[in-house]
Amino acid sequence: QVQLQESGPGLVKPSQTLSLTCTVSGGSISSGSYYWSWIRQPAGKGLEWIGRIHSSGSTNYNPSLKGRVTISVDTSKSQFSLKLNSVTAADTAVYYCARGGAMVAPFDYWGQGILVTVSS
Amino acid sequence: DIQMTQSPSSLSASVGDSVTITCRPSQSISTFLNWFQQKPGKAPKLLISAVSSLQSGVPSRFSGSASGTDFTLTISSLQPEDFATYYCQQSYNIPWTFGQGTKVEIK
């Protein structure tokens, strides 16, 4: 059973960089042709896909985030990470990591989510 | 981006009722349509992929279908544990996008 767990600071100051890590267990992050994604959800609102990475390192991002996003992978640690720079209050949300994000491979395993608040 | 419009935004129903949620994409997405269930404070759970493929462990009262440009999620006999918010999601074009959600509440 694949499990994902987000970790990182729960409070980030405006204009700084939000950094989160997702640790994958119960399966290799580099096995198969899976993508690994980040998705976020502001309180009381819907879901927004942030971006994805393949174990090869190939990435795709949501253009709505205007180039502020970087997703990386460390297969030796079975982790992938999210960096979102120049954050504002609008980036306050629950951030989820998930396996999936391909046409025929939807988001089938999710982390529990981590609340990140942007505030001074 | 492909916009996903769900209707209704919310509905009230009783245990045992049959409910239908509709999702309409802003352009053709072939069969790349998935449904998720989310309960308060929890991560979304994948229910159905590729329009109608039920995920392992998901009760058979959940079903998905397509008609014309619309996609539907049907819960045939609502159970207490089904009260939640449901999201559709397209996996046809990046950026992947979700509907705004349909909250199913107890009448």
Side-chain angles (χ1 to χ4, degrees):
Chain A
Q1 176 82 350
V2 175
Q3 294 184 311
L4 297 91
Q5 177 70 58
E6 304 90 350
S7 59
L11 180 64
V12 181
K13 289 183 166 51
S15 80
Q16 294 192 343
T17 297
L18 179 159
S19 296
L20 296 174
T21 296
C22 182
T23 302
V24 179
S25 59
S28 171
I29 199 171
S30 54
S31 68
S33 297
Y34 293 113
Y35 282 89
W36 304 88
S37 289
W38 287 97
I39 296 156
R40 68 180 182 178
Q41 184 174 37
K45 295 189 177 181
L47 298 157
E48 179 182 32
W49 177 75
I50 298 169
R52 70 177 186 180
I53 190 164
H54 189 267
S55 56
S56 65
S58 169
T59 55
N60 298 95
Y61 301 124
N62 193 326
S64 70
L65 292 162
K66 297 182 175 64
R68 296 190 294 131
V69 181
T70 302
I71 298 176
S72 59
V73 65
D74 186 338
T75 55
S76 66
K77 293 183 179 179
S78 206
Q79 294 177 334
F80 63 107
S81 299
L82 168 70
K83 290 190 186 298
L84 179 64
N85 57 39
S86 304
V87 296
T88 69
D91 295 309
T92 294
V94 174
Y95 285 76
Y96 295 101
C97 58
R99 189 180 80 169
M103 290 183 84
V104 294
F107 310 115
D108 57 355
Y109 290 97
W110 295 64
Q112 64 186 27
I114 183 169
L115 173 62
V116 179
T117 301
V118 178
S119 174
S120 55
Chain B
D1 297 6
I2 298 176
Q3 308 303 315
M4 306 296 289
T5 303
Q6 285 182 236
S7 60
S9 296
S10 65
L11 64 90
S12 295
S14 301
V15 171
D17 285 352
S18 177
V19 302
T20 297
I21 299 167
T22 298
C23 181
R24 176 173 291 178
S26 60
Q27 66 183 75
S28 174
I29 59 170
S30 185
T31 59
F32 297 99
L33 189 283
N34 310 303
W35 289 99
F36 294 85
Q37 175 194 65
Q38 186 179 34
K39 296 182 179 179
K42 299 294 187 182
K45 173 186 175 183
L46 178 64
L47 296 177
I48 290 172
S49 62
V51 178
S52 59
S53 181
L54 206 63
Q55 296 303 292
S56 175
V58 175
S60 59
R61 62 181 179 272
F62 290 92
S63 64
S65 63
S67 177
T69 56
D70 289 355
F71 299 88
T72 58
L73 172 69
T74 300
I75 311 172
S76 60
S77 177
L78 209 56
Q79 296 302 299
E81 60 268 29
D82 301 335
F83 292 95
T85 299
Y86 294 84
Y87 294 93
C88 62
Q89 178 250 331
Q90 64 84 16
S91 55
Y92 182 71
N93 265 356
I94 283 177
W96 313 133
T97 48
F98 294 83
Q100 81 278 15
T102 296
K103 188 173 184 179
V104 177
E105 299 176 298
I106 302 173
K107 182 182 285 186

